Amino acid sequence: SVANVHEGFFLELQRVLPHVRKWVEGYIEGTQGLFGIPSYWKLVFTGHSLGASLAILAATLAEAEGWSRTPDAVIAFGAPRLADKALSDWWESRNLCGKLLRVAVHNDVITWMPFVEPLQLMDIVTYCFENVMSCIGQLANGPKELHPSDRWAHVCPKSEFLVPGSMKGINSQMEDFSLLGGVLAHLIGNTLFGYAFGVVNSDIPQKDAYCGLRRDLFPAPNCTSTEELNDVVCFGLSHDPNGTSAKACNKNCCDDEYCSVWQFMRNGQCWRGRSHQCTSFH
């Protein structure tokens, strides 16, 4: 089958891929990889944003072209959708998805990109010229539903690992909509939001055996409620039998470094943990 890859990502890859292959296989032709990377090293392709796209595409070509050494793992942070579904099908058909880990911060807008096709964009621009006030209102309040382009898809959808974010932004339910927050959620170098925040506040440090990731690398924030929601239920939480009051439920969540949401129900039960699926009920 033939996969359609985003031209911009593919052209950027051509600038760096020859250097990567020389480094992997050895610079001197005919030496059978004698001067390549040692065989006992783990070879990991990784990157953030554009770099994440290049890491996935480089791994794709390494497999397709039969490099003498292919990556043992690919770790992509904040990867946009870089091709159509055919590329994902190709990875799955060769059982490569087990090598890929796509880390995504909740509300990161870039993980939904490319968002619209050129013709769709022209329709949006035309609509905004003809309906200025309505368009401004939608930008301010956010659309009711998310309709990303069907042309683009993530490679190996099940390889995504969602980490918490601390910003409003863009998500599939279009809750907490914020264009600015969606951009800030994509950044990697600030421990208050984005990928630095998401990684150290996720389960990743518990499984890290190489990088020494831990939450105390950054100053511990005060445990405060950033938003209180009434008549809202969050799914995916765990029951805490020791949270016998709202105050106790709150404290237990604060004492648990991996707890970001708690709710004390009218029936006296405490539920807490992580959730990105909260909805109003009546």
Side-chain angles (χ1 to χ4, degrees), residues 57-276:
L57 287 178
T60 301
L61 290 181
E63 295 284 351
E65 295 175 355
W67 290 16
S68 60
R69 178 76 186 273
T70 57
D72 300 297
V74 181
I75 304 176
F77 295 91
R81 303 183 301 163
L82 54 90
D84 59 14
K85 186 175 179 295
L87 183 61
S88 181
D89 293 340
W90 186 88
W91 272 66
E92 292 178 359
S93 69
R94 285 159 175 76
N95 297 318
L96 297 175
C97 289
K99 291 186 174 184
L100 176 61
L101 176 65
R102 289 188 302 102
V103 181
V105 165
H106 181 63
N107 281 343
D108 178 2
V109 66
I110 301 301
T111 59
W112 296 98
M113 296 294 183
F115 203 77
V116 296
E117 296 300 302
L119 291 178
Q120 290 177 292
L121 182 60
M122 289 303 300
D123 289 341
I124 294 171
V125 172
T126 301
Y127 172 82
C128 286
F129 272 121
E130 296 175 352
N131 305 271
V132 176
M133 295 309 297
S134 175
C135 188
I136 292 175
Q138 289 188 37
L139 287 174
N141 301 319
K144 300 300 182 183
E145 296 179 335
L146 185 66
H147 297 289
S149 168
D150 293 332
R151 178 182 180 186
W152 306 100
H154 278 297
V155 173
C156 304
K158 293 182 180 179
S159 70
E160 182 178 75
F161 185 79
L162 197 66
V163 297
S166 60
M167 303 295 295
K168 295 182 177 182
I170 307 294
N171 57 66
S172 59
Q173 290 79 33
M174 292 310 294
E175 300 170 341
D176 301 328
F177 175 82
S178 169
L179 286 176
L180 177 59
V183 173
L184 293 177
H186 182 67
L187 302 182
I188 197 169
N190 193 303
T191 60
L192 300 179
F193 50 81
Y195 282 82
F197 173 90
V199 168
V200 299
N201 285 280
S202 70
D203 296 336
I204 291 178
Q206 293 181 328
K207 304 180 186 301
D208 169 42
Y210 299 98
C211 300
L213 293 173
R214 59 187 190 279
R215 293 193 68 185
D216 61 5
L217 289 173
F218 309 118
N222 294 325
C223 184
T224 58
S225 297
T226 57
E227 191 170 6
E228 295 184 5
L229 303 174
N230 295 319
D231 296 327
V232 170
V233 61
C234 296
F235 299 98
L237 304 179
S238 299
H239 178 233
D240 180 0
N242 297 318
T244 54
S245 66
K247 184 177 180 179
C249 190
N250 185 5
K251 182 179 184 303
N252 291 349
C253 184
C254 286
D255 292 341
D256 181 355
E257 62 180 7
Y258 293 103
C259 178
S260 60
V261 178
W262 66 273
Q263 57 185 20
F264 192 75
M265 310 300 290
R266 293 171 181 170
N267 61 4
Q269 292 185 342
C270 170
W271 294 80
R272 61 184 182 84
R274 295 186 184 277
S275 176
H276 296 304

